[in-house]
Each structure stands twice: as structure tokens, then as C-alpha cells.
């Protein structure tokens, strides 16, 4: 039996009951990561009035978090598989809590942007451990129910991020949307240390460092120019950097194919695309996230226009 299987069995207890009390603790990591993607959208106008941020900084508050989150997600998931998911879940929660406190205390817009990027990186560390831990601790029908709760948590976080954000901004100011993460994060860390068992995939695989670097460069080179291009009038660098992203993306694809053919473990195994379920899932996810991002961008653009409009 693998180490993951041993710890999962121990977590279920002597009577073999599934560790349901662990589920809300673990899911908190995913809820915080998704919630903070949306919660800032309703606070952009207030942030601009308080810090005189400007539309470019406001766009970076959204895009910086998303780029950092996307760049670190796959690598953090692989590290958690090899070195222990609880370790990275707790570490990510600690970093996310500290970054949230830094966001709340930021005296200037540039420092707030940097804190948001740190928050996105921290979210990318804790989020992939959630689903992996659920798969390790639950089996059969219990796993299906746990995954249903996981999916409901994503939907709840998407809606609650905007509703809760609006209520906090109206009642306490924009800094409250970040401060609320601090007690939640502290409680999550304490509970995880006490009740979440350590699970890992077994053998420690070598990390695909070139693949991780190329993936991060590609994602950042795609997202940042798109976020800033309109506001800056599409300067030359905003047009050239996406071309760089196409080049690094092509190199990444070739490297992943070669690494897998050589018997290695690439960061993004191309062979999974041969699975019909994977292709269907990717197509569904593409449609869902494009629609969700369109709604989020529309709200952000409206807030930016309100923030930059001259007051009478």
C-alpha cells in the first residue's frame, strides 16, 4: 500500500468512516482562492478613489491575481503530490493570510498590486491540494458526494465573492474584503494542522522545471498585455509580448511531447488529450470560464469607467 493509501485509511478511523470533518477544512482553501478572484471586482471604484490607482493599476489588481494563480497552479499541484498535500495546503493558507493582510494594509496602488500578485501565488499553492486530498481521502459513493460539495463550493464562492464584497465595501470600506480572509485563514491553518492527514502520491517525481518556467512565462505574457493594452493605447511592447507567448507556448508543447516520449513525467502530459473524457471536459471548461470571465471583465470595466469618470 502506498503512503497516500496508508494515511487515507488512518484518517478514516478505526471504524472505516470517511473523514467528513476534514472536508470543510480542506474546501476552505478552494473557497478562499475562488472568492478572492471575484471579491475585488466590486471594490475597484472604492480602491481608485482612496489610492488614486488609475485604470491600469485597477486592471492589474484583477489580472495580476489571475496570472499568478494560473502560473503556479500546475507546479504547486505536482509539488504537493510529491512532498505532501497537507504541507502545501497549510503553507499556501499561511501565505494567503499574510498576503491578504498586506493587501488590506497597502498604502499605495503599486504595493496593493504586488500584494495581490503574492495573494494569487499563495492561492495557486493551496488550491490544487484540495481536490487531490479529496480524491485521496474518499472512495466510492463518498467520493462522489464529496466532489459534489466541492463543485457547490465553487459556485457558492463565485456568487458570494461579489455579494459579500459589495456588502463589505458598503459597510466597512474596501480594505475589509481582504481583512476578512485573515481570521478565516488563521482558523483554517489551525484546523488543518489538527485534523487534516498528510497524503501524497507515493514516489517523488522529478519536477519539470523548464516546463514550469515556460508555462509561467507564457501565461504572464498572454494575460498582462491583454489587461493593460487598451488603457495604454496598445504600445509596441503590448503587441510584441503576445508574440513571445506564442513562441514560448510552442517550445513548451514540443518539450512536453519529447519529455513524455523519453519516459519522463512532463508538467502537462500530452497523452491525456487522447482521453475522450478529457477532451469533453476541456471543451466544457473552456465555454464555462470564457462566459464567467466575460461577466467578470464587464463588471471590472464598469467599475474602472466609474472610477475614472470625472466627479461633478
Amino acid at each position: 500500500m502506498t503512503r497516500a493509501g496508508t494515511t487515507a485509511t488512518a484518517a478514516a478511523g478505526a471504524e472505516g468512516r470517511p473523514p467528513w470533518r476534514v472536508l470543510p477544512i480542506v474546501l476552505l482553501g478552494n473557497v478562499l482562492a475562488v472568492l478572492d478572484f471575484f471579491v475585488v471586482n466590486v471594490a475597484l471604484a472604492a480602491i481608485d478613489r482612496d489610492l488614486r490607482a488609475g485604470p491600469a493599476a485597477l486592471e492589474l489588481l484583477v489580472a495580476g491575481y489571475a496570472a499568478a494563480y494560473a502560473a503556479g497552479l500546475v507546479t504547486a499541484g505536482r509539488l504537493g503530490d510529491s512532498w505532501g498535500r497537507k504541507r502545501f495546503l497549510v503553507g499556501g493558507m499561511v501565505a494567503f493570510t499574510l498576503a491578504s493582510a498586506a493587501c488590506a494594509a497597502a498604502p499605495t496602488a503599486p504595493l496593493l498590486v504586488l500584494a495581490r500578485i503574492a495573494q494569487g501565488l499563495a492561492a495557486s499553492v493551496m488550491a490544487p491540494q484540495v481536490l487531490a486530498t479529496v480524491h485521496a481521502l474518499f472512495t466510492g459513493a463518498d467520493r462522489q458526494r464529496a466532489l459534489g460539495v466541492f463543485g457547490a463550493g465553487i459556485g457558492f464562492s463565485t456568487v458570494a465573492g461579489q455579494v459579500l464584497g459589495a456588502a463589505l465595501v458598503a459597510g466597512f470600506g474596501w480594505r475589509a474584503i481582504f481583512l476578512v480572509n485573515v481570521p478565516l485563514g488563521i482558523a483554517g491553518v489551525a484546523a488543518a494542522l489538527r485534523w487534516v492527514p498528510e497524503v501524497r502520491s507515493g514516489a517523488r517525481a522529478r519536477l519539470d522545471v523548464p516546463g514550469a518556467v515556460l508555462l509561467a512565462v507564457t501565461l504572464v505574457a498572454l494575460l498582462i498585455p491583454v489587461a493593460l493594452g487598451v488603457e495604454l493605447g496598445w504600445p509596441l511592447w503590448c503587441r510584441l509580448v503576445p508574440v513571445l507567448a506564442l513562441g514560448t507556448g510552442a517550445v513548451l508543447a514540443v518539450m512536453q511531447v519529447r519529455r513524455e516520449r523519453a519516459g519522463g513525467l512532463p508538467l502537462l502530459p500530452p497523452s491525456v488529450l487522447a482521453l475522450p473524457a478529457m477532451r469533453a471536459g476541456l471543451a466544457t471548461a473552456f465555454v464555462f470560464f470564457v462566459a464567467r470571465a466575460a461577466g467578470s471583465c464587464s463588471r471590472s470595466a464598469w467599475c474602472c469607467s466609474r472610477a475614472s469618470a470625472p466627479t461633478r
Side-chain angles (χ1 to χ4, degrees), residues 241-308:
V241 171
V243 178
L244 170 66
L246 294 177
T248 56
V251 173
L252 174 63
V254 172
M255 288 181 59
Q256 298 298 285
V257 171
R258 289 182 176 177
R259 187 179 180 91
E260 189 171 49
R261 287 178 177 175
L265 184 61
L267 188 70
L268 304 171
S271 60
V272 300
L273 296 177
L275 302 175
M278 176 61 71
R279 294 197 298 269
L282 288 174
T284 303
F286 176 80
V287 174
F288 172 76
F289 283 108
V290 165
R292 192 174 77 170
S296 177
C297 289
S298 298
R299 181 177 292 274
S300 299
W302 180 83
C303 290
C304 290
S305 65
R306 287 289 300 272
S308 58

Side-chain angles (χ1 to χ4, degrees), residues 7 43 45 49 51 88-89 120 124 191 309:
T7 53
R49 286 194 301 268
L51 300 182
F88 280 84
L89 175 66
S124 75

Side-chain angles (χ1 to χ4, degrees), residues 70-127:
L73 195 65
V74 178
T75 302
R78 182 67 55 81
L79 288 171
D81 290 343
S82 298
W83 295 92
R85 291 152 187 159
K86 175 182 177 178
R87 178 180 302 177
F88 280 84
L89 175 66
V90 172
M93 279 189 178
V94 170
F96 188 86
T97 303
L98 294 175
S100 297
C103 287
T108 64
L111 289 177
L112 179 57
V113 170
L114 290 176
R116 275 287 285 177
I117 293 172
Q119 195 184 38
L121 284 173
S124 75
V125 172
M126 64 180 179

Side-chain angles (χ1 to χ4, degrees), residues 137-164:
L137 296 181
F138 295 88
T139 58
D142 290 325
R143 177 183 291 175
Q144 298 303 316
R145 286 193 287 270
L147 291 176
V149 176
F150 171 83
I154 294 178
F156 167 79
S157 304
T158 302
V159 176
Q162 300 176 68
V163 175
L164 178 63

